[in-house]
Amino acid sequence: MNSIVLFVTIAAAVLVIVKAEDDHDHSEELKQIEAACEKETGVDFDLITKAEKGHFEEGNDLKCFPKCVFEKAKWMNAAGKIDEAAMIAAAEEKGDKDVRVPIVKKCMKKEGKDACETAYLVYRCYWEEITAAGLKK
């Protein structure tokens, strides 16, 4: 019985890793951060995938996922203050910086009533603008 449980656990982990690699064109570090935040916040992976294609559904569980990612990536502190230099550096590393950096600067101005909402608004703005600009992740 224990070997069956172990097999199912390993198979599920492999499936999650393969799914993450197929759907998310991110650095290994960011993939690990997203996986940890997916687990911590309980957000459905499909919502993340849709969001990163510019599609957001109202009333979903995605709201605090970006805060988790931003904090772990050091783009936001626990009080909800965005680290402008860190976010711009991340955008520059991604490529297409002539398009991404202005988008980041625009989206960083979004503010919510708390850290979760602020991160969500910045995240949503970024992915909507990236999608509108025709860029892939």
Side-chain angles (χ1 to χ4, degrees):
M1 182 66 149
N2 285 341
S3 61
I4 293 172
V5 171
L6 178 61
F7 174 76
V8 170
T9 302
I10 291 171
V14 168
L15 181 61
V16 167
I17 290 168
V18 168
K19 185 176 181 182
E21 287 176 3
D22 288 345
D23 292 342
H24 286 16
D25 179 24
H26 297 311
S27 70
E28 285 305 313
E29 179 184 10
L30 191 53
K31 285 179 187 178
Q32 291 174 359
I33 289 171
E34 281 190 334
C37 290
E38 177 187 5
K39 186 176 181 178
E40 284 179 33
T41 63
V43 69
D44 183 342
F45 188 82
D46 289 336
L47 288 176
I48 299 166
T49 302
K50 287 177 185 176
E52 292 182 357
K53 292 178 182 173
H55 304 289
F56 288 83
E57 299 172 14
E58 295 304 318
N60 64 47
D61 296 330
L62 189 62
K63 296 282 183 181
C64 285
F65 172 79
K67 176 184 175 279
C68 179
V69 171
F70 286 13
E71 285 181 354
K72 288 183 183 305
K74 308 284 190 246
W75 299 335
M76 172 185 263
N77 66 22
K81 180 162 176 16
I82 299 287
D83 183 332
E84 181 177 344
M87 287 199 91
I88 289 172
E92 290 175 340
E93 286 176 20
K94 190 70 179 161
D96 301 308
K97 68 181 181 180
D98 56 322
V99 177
R100 289 180 193 274
V101 170
I103 289 172
V104 167
K105 287 181 177 181
K106 173 185 176 181
C107 294
M108 285 182 349
K109 296 176 182 172
K110 304 282 183 185
E111 287 188 40
K113 65 180 185 262
D114 58 24
C116 273
E117 186 175 44
T118 295
Y120 175 78
L121 293 173
V122 171
Y123 179 83
R124 182 174 181 152
C125 175
Y126 176 80
W127 287 113
E128 288 176 341
E129 293 289 329
I130 287 296
T131 301
L135 296 178
K136 291 182 74 181
K137 302 180 186 214

